[in-house]
Amino acid sequence: MSVDFILGLAALGTSAALVAQWVVLRARYLKGLTQQRTRHQQLQQATQQQLGLAKQQISRLQNDLNITRMQVKRQASREPARAVVQQMLVEEPATMPMRPPANGFADTLPQLQFPHDASLLQH
């Protein structure tokens, strides 16, 4: 056998090995890519479901908030006398009869010792 023939067979064998290796690696790459796309689609679907649930929950919470606001407005319009009484109690607490504290302890908040004169507060 001649050297050229042996080199030709070696080149042909090497070329065949390279082509076979490329085919195997390409098949593995495409299989991995398909698996990755499948995982991505599954994660995307799960995210979409969670987003939909979050939107539904936000919608329910906004609806509950609107209902509560309407109830508060109705309650406020029904009880204007109660608001007037509370305002009177805030403005004139001295006219109320003095009662002992409910828990038996005296009020320990500091009392104002100076008159409410705005000129005294300026520095």
Side-chain angles (χ1 to χ4, degrees):
M1 288 210 240
S2 78
V3 176
D4 290 336
F5 181 70
I6 294 174
L7 287 176
L9 284 177
L12 184 63
T14 305
S15 297
L18 287 174
V19 169
Q21 182 180 9
W22 179 84
V23 169
V24 169
L25 290 177
R26 177 79 176 162
R28 287 178 59 194
Y29 168 76
L30 291 176
K31 183 180 178 184
L33 188 62
T34 303
Q35 290 174 347
Q36 189 175 9
R37 283 182 181 162
T38 304
R39 280 194 304 266
H40 176 70
Q41 287 175 348
Q42 290 172 348
L43 289 173
Q44 203 170 20
Q45 287 175 350
T47 303
Q48 290 296 327
Q49 288 175 349
Q50 290 175 352
L51 182 63
L53 291 174
K55 285 181 180 181
Q56 288 175 357
Q57 186 176 11
I58 289 171
S59 175
R60 282 193 301 259
L61 290 172
Q62 286 177 339
N63 189 23
D64 291 345
L65 179 62
N66 289 333
I67 290 171
T68 304
R69 284 181 178 166
M70 289 188 316
Q71 289 174 348
V72 167
K73 285 181 183 178
R74 279 191 229 131
Q75 187 76 13
S77 66
R78 288 182 192 161
E79 297 182 10
R82 186 177 194 184
V84 171
V85 170
Q86 286 179 346
Q87 184 66 27
M88 287 173 50
L89 292 176
V90 169
E91 289 175 358
E92 301 178 29
T95 60
M96 292 179 46
M98 295 299 288
R99 294 180 291 186
N103 60 3
F105 292 97
D107 188 16
T108 58
L109 294 176
Q111 298 294 321
L112 295 176
Q113 298 176 4
F114 302 102
H116 297 301
D117 189 1
S119 65
L120 294 175
L121 296 176
Q122 295 176 354
H123 295 260

